[in-house]
Amino acid sequence: MRHRPRGSQLGLLLLASQLFQVGLENIPPVTLAVLGLNVYLYLFPAAPLLKACISVQQTYLFNDWRRLLLSPLHHADDWHLYFNMASFLMKGIRLERRLGGAWFVYLLSVFSLLTGFVYLALEVLLTELTQDPSHSAACAVGFSGVLFALKVLINHYYPGGVTYVMGVPVSNRYASWVELVLIHITAPGSSLIGHLAGILVGLLYTSGPLKTLMKSCSGFVTSNGYTSRPNAYYRSSGYSGTDGGYSGYPYQHGTENTTNHTASYTEQTNQRGAPPPYGFHFPEEPSAEEIRRRRLRRFES
């Protein structure tokens, strides 16, 4: 395990500032844990980037399938980490509160692996179509593919409205595709195919068979795809436990700008008080007073 070379690490400082601006107590536990894991693996990588990135050549031809696990969780530099995690922070808050913690863990796990497989398939297809072996050698790393998949889900659950992409209002219906093109133009080093793979995985979930398949394979969620018996947190904050999802947090159309999201969410939280802690759902132990009342009712009957 190797430490990252020390630099200004301004991206890490900005990420820490944003986390505290939102408030750690206001970030759902799965989202916070995934953020922490990405930061930890940036500071203490499980493998060097050239051995963590995913490519047809390294993953398939050299049979190094562990890259499917490593590539989404490693980042090239602190700015790469910052932009990905700042985006994930806002997406995670909305989606985890809508879907529940257990399903969100499941979703992220499937999306991370499936985005890698789709990326490999697209690169194989490009290699065959163009007869250019450089596509098989293209190595991608980072959480961006998963973020594009989550973006598709958010646009699906919150239809209508607009997202501001570089200051330009774009219909949510087309926002992922516009971002795909603009990021490729403005950041030539980014992986167009990796981002496209994420969009396709998101569409497989919202418009294809993936969601149904995930439900049929899951053993820790109910048949409707969400955690059973929402706990006090979800009840107090508007979570319905159905596909209607989280109704208490008002989605702000056109607020893909991170600062606007943060301000809007913090204001709502301060108005209603900090939500109680939550996580996976275990049976609650009755209080002593509740036990006493039950005994009295039993004697009275």
Side-chain angles (χ1 to χ4, degrees):
M1 188 177 291
R2 300 176 184 175
H3 294 263
R4 288 279 178 184
R6 294 292 178 182
S8 65
Q9 304 297 346
L10 182 58
L12 282 176
L13 295 175
L14 288 175
L15 179 59
S17 172
Q18 190 157 340
L19 289 173
F20 284 106
Q21 185 179 0
V22 173
L24 296 180
E25 71 280 5
N26 299 323
I27 304 173
V30 174
T31 299
L32 188 60
V34 172
L35 281 163
L37 178 61
N38 276 269
V39 172
Y40 177 82
L41 288 177
Y42 171 74
L43 295 172
F44 308 99
L49 285 179
L50 290 178
K51 293 186 178 181
C53 63
I54 185 173
S55 70
V56 175
Q57 186 180 84
Q58 297 294 331
T59 307
Y60 176 70
L61 297 180
F62 294 164
N63 203 32
D64 188 1
W65 294 102
R66 70 174 191 143
R67 291 172 181 262
L68 287 169
L69 299 174
L70 296 176
S71 59
L73 301 174
H74 288 73
H75 291 83
D77 54 42
D78 60 316
W79 287 109
H80 188 203
L81 176 73
Y82 166 69
F83 285 119
N84 277 355
M85 291 301 100
S87 177
F88 175 68
L89 173 62
M90 299 307 142
K91 291 175 174 64
I93 286 174
R94 281 181 282 172
L95 288 175
E96 184 176 347
R97 291 191 166 186
R98 183 183 182 103
L99 303 177
W103 188 262
F104 193 51
V105 170
Y106 186 28
L107 186 80
L108 290 176
S109 301
V110 172
F111 278 16
S112 296
L113 289 174
L114 194 54
T115 299
F117 279 115
V118 173
Y119 171 79
L120 293 176
L122 291 174
E123 292 289 15
V124 168
L125 181 62
L126 278 175
T127 301
E128 292 297 320
L129 291 176
T130 64
Q131 294 299 305
D132 182 358
S134 66
H135 292 293
S136 293
C139 215
V141 68
F143 207 65
S144 303
V146 178
L147 291 175
F148 268 87
L150 297 181
K151 176 71 174 177
V152 173
L153 263 65
I154 286 177
N155 292 340
H156 170 76
Y157 286 125
Y158 304 99
V162 297
T163 292
Y164 286 86
V165 182
M166 298 185 179
V168 179
V170 177
S171 170
N172 281 343
R173 185 176 181 181
Y174 307 107
S176 298
W177 298 102
V178 173
E179 288 180 22
L180 175 71
V181 175
L182 287 180
I183 288 177
H184 182 63
I185 293 173
T186 58
S190 62
S191 174
L192 175 68
I193 303 303
H195 296 165
L196 176 60
I199 291 178
L200 295 179
V201 168
L203 291 175
L204 281 174
Y205 185 89
T206 58
S207 306
L210 180 57
K211 183 178 180 180
T212 302
L213 183 61
M214 286 175 62
K215 288 180 182 179
S216 66
C217 294
S218 63
F220 59 92
V221 290
T222 61
S223 59
N224 69 355
Y226 303 98
T227 51
S228 60
R229 298 193 307 107
N231 66 4
Y233 174 83
Y234 290 110
R235 288 194 296 269
S236 67
S237 50
Y239 177 77
S240 67
T242 68
D243 203 44
Y246 182 80
S247 57
Y249 174 46
Y251 174 71
Q252 302 291 331
H253 290 303
T255 52
E256 195 57 24
N257 180 286
T258 302
T259 303
N260 291 342
H261 271 315
T262 302
S264 172
Y265 178 74
T266 305
E267 181 181 358
Q268 284 290 327
T269 304
N270 290 340
Q271 288 174 357
R272 64 169 181 259
Y278 75 105
F280 296 93
H281 310 296
F282 297 99
E284 295 181 3
E285 294 291 335
S287 64
E289 179 64 22
E290 178 63 21
I291 293 173
R292 188 182 68 82
R293 282 198 298 266
R294 290 179 186 177
R295 289 174 176 171
L296 287 175
R297 283 196 299 268
R298 189 164 60 247
F299 286 123
E300 289 172 357
S301 60

